[in-house]
Amino acid sequence: LFDCSRTIVREALTRLATRGIVTVSARRGWYVIEPSQDEAREAFEARRVIELGLLHQLKVVDKAALRQLKSHLQREKAALAGTDVGMRSFLLGDFHVCLAECLGNSLLADTLRDFTARTTLIAMLYQSSHDAAQSCADHVRIVEALEAGDIARAEALMSEHIGTCLLYTSPSPRDLST
């Protein structure tokens, strides 16, 4: 399908396994992980600590960063209007990586990339279209607060947003691992 060798596929799967996205079962194959509720909670808590820390230390956001964030929001909105749930979930999670990059911390952006990969798996399983639209609206409000120079408001909005994401991406009665 992708016109590449099995060696390249195995290397990609090994990298994904290292990042905790897939797992291998001897003689059975590779499988995308199904995070437990505890793992989902821990991933969102880690994201909250990182993202609130980034915002807390922030003094000002430059115009180029705001343009990049707004461009990302346009791609999110386009994905919401489409039918590709995977792309929608990826872009909603990638907003947080984009934010870290725009704030000038590539190391934390890489760390967030791993955490958002895990939380995106959860979102793809459990996030409704309505919840995805709400997530995008939250992102818009965060960028608006940053543009207005109201860092404290952006921080409060981010805290609320990540808490809400955990609520609507958690399964109701059953555990994710079942």
Side-chain angles (χ1 to χ4, degrees):
L1 180 66
F2 294 104
D3 194 32
C4 60
S5 71
R6 288 181 180 196
T7 303
I8 290 173
V9 172
R10 273 192 292 276
E11 183 179 323
L13 288 169
T14 301
R15 287 183 182 185
L16 290 171
T18 301
R19 293 177 63 200
I21 307 302
V22 299
T23 185
V24 65
S25 178
R27 294 187 193 85
R28 293 186 59 219
W30 296 84
Y31 297 90
V32 175
I33 63 158
E34 291 186 35
S36 69
Q37 284 181 309
D38 285 340
E39 290 167 333
R41 181 185 42 74
E42 288 174 6
F44 278 105
E45 285 174 0
R47 281 184 48 195
R48 184 187 315 240
V49 168
I50 292 168
E51 294 180 55
L52 295 182
L54 277 169
L55 290 171
H56 187 71
Q57 58 82 36
L58 187 63
K59 302 294 181 234
V60 67
V61 182
D62 65 43
K63 292 187 186 304
L66 287 168
R67 278 193 303 275
Q68 189 174 346
L69 288 166
K70 287 179 177 181
S71 173
H72 187 92
L73 290 174
Q74 292 307 312
R75 290 192 306 276
E76 278 186 28
K77 290 174 184 176
L80 283 169
T83 59
D84 187 344
V85 174
M87 180 56 75
R88 175 189 82 191
S89 296
F90 168 76
L91 286 170
L92 289 171
D94 195 54
F95 168 81
H96 301 271
V97 176
C98 180
L99 179 62
E101 290 173 340
C102 287
L103 299 182
N105 197 317
S106 58
L107 181 61
L108 287 179
D110 287 342
T111 302
L112 279 173
R113 195 170 278 113
D114 285 341
F115 286 126
T116 57
R118 292 173 190 221
T119 55
T120 296
L121 290 173
I122 299 161
M124 287 179 66
L125 290 170
Y126 299 104
Q127 188 179 54
S128 71
S129 295
H130 171 73
D131 293 333
Q134 182 59 49
S135 187
C136 182
D138 290 349
H139 294 168
V140 168
R141 284 191 294 280
I142 291 165
V143 171
E144 288 171 348
L146 291 172
E147 186 172 34
D150 192 346
I151 308 302
R153 177 152 171 72
E155 193 176 342
L157 289 168
M158 182 64 78
S159 180
E160 182 181 321
H161 168 67
I162 294 173
T164 302
C165 287
L166 180 55
L167 289 177
Y168 64 62
T169 56
S170 295
S172 346
R174 71 178 182 95
D175 185 293
L176 286 171
S177 62
T178 59

